[in-house]
Amino acid sequence: MATRKEPKALDMPGYCCSPLCKIDKYLYAMRLSDETLIDVMARFRREMKNGLSRDFNPTAAVKMLPTFVRSIPDGSEKGDFIALDLGGSYFRILRVKVSHEKKQTVQMESEIYNTPEDIMHGSGTRLFDHVAECLGDFMEKQQIKDKKLPVGFTFSFPCRQSKLDEGILITWTKRFKASGVEGADVVRLLNRAIKKRGDYDADIMAVVNDTVGTMMTCGFDDQRCEVGLIIGTGTNACYMEEMRHIDLVEGDEGRMCINTEWGAFGDDGSLEDIRTEFDREIDRGSLNPGKQLFEKMVSGLYMGELVRLILVKMAKEGLLFEGRITPELLTKGKFETKHVSAIEKSKEGLNKAKEILTRLGVEPSHEDCIAVQHVCTIVSFRSANLVASTLGAILNQLRDNKGVGRLRTTVGVDGSLYKMHPQYARRLHKTTRRLVPDSEVRFLLSESGSGKGAAMVTAVAYRLSEQHRLIDETLAEFKLTHEQLLQVKKRMRAEMEAGLKKKTHETAKVKMLPTFVRSTPDGTENGDFLALDLGGTNFRVLLVKIRSGKRRTVEMHNKIYAIPIEVMQGTGEELFDHIVTCISDFLDYMGIKGARLPLGFTFSFPCKQTSLDAGILLNWTKGFKATDCEGEDVVYLLREGIKRREEFDLDVVAVVNDTVGTMMTCAYEDPNCEIGLIVGTGSNACYMEEMRNIEMVDGEQGRMCVNTEWGAFGDNGCLDDIRTIYDKAVDDYSLNAGKQRYEKMISGMYLGEIVRNILIDFTKRGFLFRGQISETLKTRHIFETKFLSQIESDRLALLQVRAILQQLGLNSTCDDSIIVKTVCGAVSRRAAQLCGAGMAAMVDKIRENRGLEHLEITVGVDGTLYKLHPHFSRIMHQTVKDLAPNCDVTFLLSEDGSGKGAALITAVGCRLRDAEQN
């Protein structure tokens, strides 16, 4: 324990020191040095830690009770509420109306009801019948018996809570002793009493401790307020703690208000070295000996009594009143805390002392009055000093939680001692600032006390529950039922059939383009192949060496070339000359200019193929605009470019779509792979269809890979019943409005946009970002899909979600982050389910094509959304399982479908061509 240092002289009026020095010596044990106070602060910080920890809480003296109050008022609360405030000898009921015209205003009307001693000490049933009766009377006067208003219940006793609307009384304090309440839920007891009356109904939404009420009342006026402090009849404090430190409540996200119940600090003996004989005597004579020892050293209920005990002892020892002791002076409760306040007033204090002491019959001299004033000062100053040290511990905890060098915060304060005592507040502020110099603390006096606070907690709870209801209602549109997903599957199937049939192909939206790829690799492919990959702003040339035999190997070399914007949007001749220049550079780089190598051309734009090596460009996408290409055969354009160069010759064997390349790459690893799927920036799928079903190509035998171009599913309106206003907004503002509607609901390029549109709507409705729409949020495509993947990662705590939102210029609270995470989850879940429904249609079609009861098949997959999103693949797989129960589908990640895949298609094309020639 800290060694005692002689404390500084108290800030006393300048009296002669001799009689006072005697008192200083006499009450030496009550005068605490800063060193002692800093030690008490460290002890209390340890107690807080114990109370928060699961292992130590059961034995901890300071209980650190979670209150389930998770946020401070944000200024958007409104409504009509009732607050009950039970915590002392009288009981208050308030009606609080919070409205929003120009600025938030609060109107309050209240009634005070007496709580007689016999009810405080009688049975619990009588106590709650009394409360219910007073509430009935109040509602009658307010003429609101027919309304069911939300009620907040300030119940200023230590309670355990597992949710906001329950409070299990741990122990009575402050002279209350009603039987049968400890261990019971006070909300249930009150509800039962109200029901028994049957003349009105009330919706008790929150049980609040008066300390929390104080914090919330002040939080309404100052959003920095995160500590509540009461110094009145009793004493207590609460503050906003990080969820990650609260072992007793599930979850690490956000903050929750902790009711410290600090009155019990010291009940385990940790303050014995600073308790005095007078503190021990007070405790012995109390209703709850051994309990609330800290409270008994500092609160208003005990302060007058402490002074009386000191005066009695000093009189007995002849130090006061010439040794006179009267029956009044010996009567417990005759010297009250309000007397201490009166005596310490700077001007009339000594006159008040004379008046009060005369009433006690001790005939005080002028010196006696000065001495008594000094005793009062020592006792009340000790109280302020002790409260400053426990408050200091809370401020240090907040500062460390925030990881800041300097804490700026507000403490909401209430309580008669703090308000009425002439010097108390000033001393408390001064000592606090001395003990925690690195905190800027504003002390805000709570107007109208804990009742308004209970209404505020109720208002916040009401706002959050209303808000959750509206958010759930909005996001419900993204929750697709099993029936809806079966409908999507059924419609996809119908659209696929329409694309395959001659008579409906022209009008069909899902084009089902034949690729003339008639077989997947069989493992005998061998040789060196070139692959070109054109599908974006970069262009790749690859050399792929495929070796068959026992140890099949694929070796790849590639080089990436940029395509300047002026080439993308110039003439077709310039574009293909640029491509040929890049090929030429690559052949030199690899030293293979002489060989006439077979080449596969991955061309990721919509093409109508008439053979494996002919593809007519239907239309440019992705920012390409080169002239004289649409409607032309791209292989012909490439061959012409090579001719113009007159440097080398190549054997162009195949035009390849990247989805088909993905299927082929995986089929090389797993012969069972007959489907390709891409879910990245865009989305598409292909699969092996029976030739007899492909009416656009002659021949009945064997199979051919069909490129579905399924992104356009829904362009004829067949998905309108599940498209939301947000989908429509994303479509309306896109480059190709009305096209690729299915793709816009499932692929990476658009999911972030859907989320952004929902966030804007939620902000406009006041659910997010305090209703402030930032410039960033108005910027299209700011919400990249990678952010979705990061935000939904289970490993990320909310703090990291906040950091991601901050990068986007969105200043979010923890509540905001939770909502953003929920929105991202709803959008990506729907995307995965819709994608799964399309895939289910495809696997079931293959199963029926082959007349099988049960199909085992592998899907080759590529794309950033599928690869990087933490939940997409799992949800999609599950959906396929649910919607196509007779198919056993394996998903295989593809490695480089557009490069390796193109080479494999070329290799298979060469193999089949050689077989035909032989």
Side-chain angles (χ1 to χ4, degrees):
M1 296 294 170
T3 51
R4 287 182 163 281
K5 263 197 181 161
E6 188 58 47
K8 289 201 283 292
L10 296 165
D11 56 346
M12 290 291 299
Y15 299 123
C16 133
C17 199
S18 63
L20 299 187
C21 289
K22 273 190 198 156
I23 296 172
D24 279 348
K25 286 209 173 64
Y26 192 78
L27 292 180
Y28 170 70
M30 283 204 161
R31 301 184 55 217
L32 307 172
S33 67
D34 275 6
E35 199 175 335
T36 307
L37 294 176
I38 285 168
D39 187 48
V40 170
M41 186 157 79
R43 293 182 215 179
F44 187 65
R45 186 90 186 261
R46 280 197 297 276
E47 292 291 322
M48 286 167 66
K49 206 171 161 196
N50 287 346
L52 288 172
S53 111
R54 184 174 284 122
D55 301 336
F56 295 107
N57 177 278
T59 56
V62 179
K63 282 296 178 211
M64 303 295 283
L65 303 166
T67 64
F68 294 83
V69 170
R70 294 170 192 266
S71 56
I72 288 169
D74 72 351
S76 67
E77 291 72 20
K78 52 178 181 284
D80 194 348
F81 306 97
I82 288 180
L84 311 178
D85 186 356
L86 178 68
S89 44
Y90 63 85
F91 165 53
R92 206 160 58 122
I93 303 183
L94 304 91
R95 181 174 180 190
V96 182
K97 287 185 195 155
V98 188
S99 64
H100 270 278
E101 289 318 310
K102 304 250 177 334
K103 67 188 229 322
Q104 206 174 23
T105 54
V106 179
Q107 261 182 299
M108 298 201 296
E109 299 169 68
S110 68
E111 285 273 333
I112 288 179
Y113 295 89
N114 208 7
T115 310
E117 193 85 10
D118 61 318
I119 286 186
M120 281 162 65
H121 296 163
S123 75
T125 313
R126 265 191 75 195
L127 174 65
F128 284 98
D129 285 348
H130 172 69
V131 172
E133 187 183 338
C134 297
L135 180 57
D137 173 76
F138 180 78
M139 290 173 82
E140 184 88 47
K141 285 181 180 152
Q142 290 280 333
Q143 301 174 337
I144 46 174
K145 266 194 160 169
D146 52 336
K147 291 187 178 161
K148 187 177 180 180
L149 295 183
V151 177
F153 184 14
T154 302
F155 185 73
S156 315
F157 303 94
C159 282
R160 264 192 209 294
Q161 292 184 266
S162 68
K163 48 182 194 281
L164 192 56
D165 59 354
E166 82 161 12
I168 291 163
L169 177 64
I170 297 172
T171 160
W172 283 116
T173 56
K174 296 180 282 201
R175 297 210 189 101
F176 269 75
K177 261 286 187 257
S179 61
V181 183
E182 292 182 343
D185 174 9
V186 296
V187 175
R188 281 189 51 195
L189 295 174
L190 179 54
N191 272 330
R192 197 182 300 160
I194 292 172
K195 215 178 223 116
K196 198 159 70 182
R197 292 176 59 85
D199 59 341
Y200 65 88
D201 202 0
D203 181 12
I204 303 171
M205 288 194 78
V207 184
V208 185
N209 177 286
D210 53 345
T211 322
V212 181
T214 299
M215 180 186 79
M216 293 300 268
T217 303
C218 295
F220 183 73
D221 300 318
D222 177 347
Q223 304 221 318
R224 273 226 172 78
C225 182
E226 45 191 352
V227 183
L229 172 63
I230 288 193
I231 316 162
T233 319
T235 181
N236 192 10
C238 69
Y239 70 101
M240 295 301 287
E241 177 60 272
E242 301 291 323
M243 281 290 289
R244 63 178 192 271
H245 293 154
I246 308 173
D247 285 358
L248 300 171
V249 182
E250 282 302 302
D252 285 339
E253 321 225 308
R255 303 203 298 170
M256 183 181 284
C257 179
I258 287 289
N259 163 18
T260 63
E261 287 295 340
W262 78 11
F265 177 33
D267 289 6
D268 55 357
S270 60
L271 292 177
E272 284 315 298
D273 59 324
I274 60 170
R275 286 176 75 227
T276 64
E277 54 182 305
F278 307 109
D279 295 307
R280 296 195 169 86
E281 196 172 333
I282 276 230
D283 180 43
R284 284 197 294 275
S286 67
L287 276 174
N288 53 352
K291 299 230 163 32
Q292 302 293 101
L293 298 183
F294 179 72
E295 181 167 80
K296 285 170 188 166
M297 292 167 83
V298 303
S299 82
L301 186 56
Y302 306 99
M303 190 172 283
E305 189 58 16
L306 266 175
V307 172
R308 186 187 69 80
L309 293 173
I310 294 168
L311 300 186
V312 168
K313 186 159 189 228
M314 288 176 74
K316 279 182 179 165
E317 296 181 19
L319 292 167
L320 279 177
F321 319 134
E322 297 171 348
R324 275 189 298 281
I325 293 173
T326 62
E328 285 85 355
L329 186 61
L330 289 173
T331 307
K332 183 176 171 179
K334 272 288 182 195
F335 197 98
E336 296 175 50
T337 302
K338 66 179 181 197
H339 298 149
V340 177
S341 295
I343 291 170
E344 284 194 64
K345 284 194 173 136
S346 47
K347 289 203 176 70
E348 69 264 35
L350 290 175
N351 294 335
K352 287 283 181 201
K354 192 170 175 69
E355 224 175 88
I356 291 159
L357 293 169
T358 306
R359 256 183 282 156
L360 294 174
V362 290
E363 302 165 32
S365 65
H366 183 63
E367 280 67 33
D368 285 337
C369 291
I370 292 174
V372 170
Q373 188 179 48
H374 195 55
V375 170
C376 290
T377 301
I378 289 175
V379 171
S380 66
F381 212 126
R382 178 184 72 155
S383 166
N385 280 340
L386 285 170
V387 171
S389 60
T390 46
L391 177 61
I394 288 179
L395 296 171
N396 282 336
Q397 176 86 351
L398 284 172
R399 193 196 60 212
D400 293 350
N401 283 349
K402 293 185 180 185
V404 290
R406 204 171 167 70
L407 175 73
R408 279 189 69 189
T409 192
T410 299
V411 177
V413 202
D414 200 357
S416 49
L417 182 57
Y418 182 88
K419 284 180 175 167
M420 301 306 188
H421 189 289
Q423 322 284 343
Y424 196 96
R426 185 177 56 82
R427 291 173 187 160
L428 172 70
H429 303 172
K430 207 168 155 186
T431 309
T432 304
R433 291 184 179 127
R434 213 170 55 240
L435 295 178
V436 250
D438 43 12
S439 293
E440 254 173 81
V441 188
R442 176 182 181 215
F443 287 88
L444 186 58
L445 192 58
S446 157
E447 298 301 326
S448 70
S450 45
K452 176 177 166 186
M456 277 299 129
V457 175
T458 308
V460 170
Y462 189 71
R463 166 174 65 85
L464 292 176
S465 73
E466 246 331 77
Q467 190 176 300
H468 284 140
R469 192 180 64 73
L470 292 168
I471 288 173
D472 290 347
E473 208 170 88
T474 304
L475 295 182
E477 295 185 61
F478 287 86
K479 291 201 169 80
L480 300 176
T481 61
H482 185 71
E483 278 58 48
Q484 282 174 307
L485 289 168
L486 276 174
Q487 268 304 311
V488 174
K489 173 188 169 185
K490 193 169 139 193
R491 292 172 200 171
M492 174 68 91
R493 176 67 183 267
E495 294 296 302
M496 286 169 72
E497 301 288 0
L500 288 170
K501 296 216 177 342
K502 229 185 199 126
K503 68 169 194 285
T504 48
H505 177 82
E506 219 29 62
T507 56
K509 292 297 180 189
V510 178
K511 280 295 176 207
M512 304 297 282
L513 305 169
T515 65
F516 295 88
V517 170
R518 297 170 188 269
S519 158
T520 51
D522 66 359
T524 65
E525 292 74 23
N526 201 33
D528 295 359
F529 304 90
L530 274 182
L532 308 182
D533 178 9
L534 179 68
T537 46
N538 288 331
F539 166 63
R540 270 195 318 161
V541 188
L542 305 93
L543 171 67
V544 184
K545 299 182 170 187
I546 302 176
R547 299 292 175 263
S548 60
K550 274 210 182 75
R551 295 194 51 216
R552 295 190 309 174
T553 59
V554 178
E555 185 190 321
M556 303 206 294
H557 306 271
N558 71 29
K559 201 166 172 188
I560 293 176
Y561 300 89
I563 299 183
I565 190 108
E566 60 275 11
V567 174
M568 281 166 72
Q569 304 185 350
T571 66
E573 201 161 285
E574 286 165 354
L575 175 64
F576 279 91
D577 281 349
H578 178 72
I579 290 172
V580 172
T581 306
C582 297
I583 299 173
S584 170
D585 172 80
F586 180 76
L587 295 177
D588 283 339
Y589 168 72
M590 293 301 297
I592 48 172
K593 232 191 196 142
R596 182 175 186 265
L597 291 175
L599 176 140
F601 185 10
T602 299
F603 188 74
S604 305
F605 302 93
C607 271
K608 186 171 173 132
Q609 284 186 253
T610 49
S611 66
L612 186 60
D613 63 350
I616 290 152
L617 174 64
L618 297 175
N619 54 284
W620 282 120
T621 56
K622 302 183 232 189
F624 276 76
K625 291 230 170 33
T627 56
D628 309 322
C629 295
E630 293 182 353
E632 298 295 326
D633 172 10
V634 294
V635 175
Y636 171 75
L637 296 175
L638 178 63
R639 284 176 179 148
E640 286 303 295
I642 293 173
K643 270 191 198 150
R644 280 196 297 278
R645 182 126 188 149
E646 294 184 334
E647 247 185 55
F648 55 86
D649 195 15
L650 294 172
D651 173 17
V652 186
V653 176
V655 186
V656 182
N657 177 283
D658 53 351
T659 318
V660 185
T662 298
M663 175 186 81
M664 294 298 269
T665 310
C666 291
Y668 190 65
E669 306 299 325
D670 176 353
N672 224 3
C673 177
E674 300 186 78
I675 299 177
L677 168 67
I678 288 187
V679 202
T681 318
S683 180
N684 193 13
C686 67
Y687 71 106
M688 298 302 289
E689 178 57 273
E690 307 301 314
M691 279 294 291
R692 63 173 188 273
N693 294 335
I694 308 173
E695 295 184 5
M696 303 304 293
V697 181
D698 294 338
E700 299 284 310
Q701 293 310 304
R703 294 178 185 150
M704 182 182 286
C705 179
V706 169
N707 164 18
T708 61
E709 289 293 341
W710 81 1
F713 175 38
D715 289 3
N716 57 2
C718 70
L719 292 177
D720 285 1
D721 56 335
I722 59 169
R723 287 173 77 228
T724 65
I725 51 169
Y726 310 107
D727 294 304
K728 295 186 178 92
V730 168
D731 184 31
D732 290 346
Y733 286 108
S734 66
L735 291 170
N736 52 351
K739 298 208 161 59
Q740 301 294 96
R741 285 180 175 173
Y742 180 61
E743 178 170 78
K744 283 172 189 164
M745 293 167 87
I746 66 178
S747 80
M749 187 165 170
Y750 303 101
L751 295 190
E753 265 308 275
I754 299 174
V755 168
R756 189 181 69 83
N757 275 285
I758 298 174
L759 298 187
I760 286 180
D761 180 38
F762 280 6
T763 309
K764 278 182 186 156
R765 289 160 71 183
F767 305 158
L768 275 176
F769 310 130
R770 304 224 155 95
Q772 308 291 312
I773 298 180
S774 66
E775 281 310 309
T776 325
L777 200 52
K778 292 181 193 157
T779 315
R780 296 226 295 277
H781 299 297
I782 184 75
F783 227 96
E784 296 170 44
T785 308
K786 70 167 187 208
F787 289 132
L788 250 76
S789 297
Q790 289 170 356
I791 286 171
E792 284 193 69
S793 159
D794 295 330
R795 292 196 305 281
L796 276 199
L798 274 201
L799 274 154
Q800 287 152 300
V801 175
R802 281 170 80 175
I804 293 169
L805 292 173
Q806 242 144 14
Q807 281 172 22
L808 295 174
L810 301 171
N811 230 332
S812 74
T813 62
C814 279
D815 292 342
D816 292 339
S817 307
I818 292 170
I819 294 170
V820 171
K821 198 168 179 173
T822 311
V823 170
C824 291
V827 171
S828 66
R829 185 181 182 81
R830 182 189 68 161
Q833 289 180 322
L834 285 173
C835 183
M839 188 43 67
M842 197 170 281
V843 293
D844 254 345
K845 176 162 186 11
I846 295 174
R847 184 180 63 79
E848 288 170 29
N849 281 349
R850 301 179 187 178
L852 297 171
E853 275 296 301
H854 189 85
L855 172 73
E856 281 191 24
I857 195 162
T858 299
V859 179
V861 204
D862 201 356
T864 45
L865 184 62
Y866 182 90
K867 282 181 172 169
L868 302 180
H869 191 282
H871 310 300
F872 188 95
S873 56
R874 177 177 51 80
I875 295 166
M876 187 194 93
H877 299 170
Q878 190 53 50
T879 309
V880 176
K881 211 180 199 152
D882 294 345
L883 300 180
N886 297 334
C887 301
D888 196 351
V889 186
T890 308
F891 290 86
L892 189 58
L893 266 182
S894 148
E895 293 307 318
D896 191 23
S898 46
K900 186 172 167 183
L904 282 164
I905 291 173
T906 307
V908 171
C910 291
R911 172 168 65 81
L912 295 179
R913 189 174 62 187
D914 295 348
E916 271 171 37
Q917 285 166 3
N918 296 337

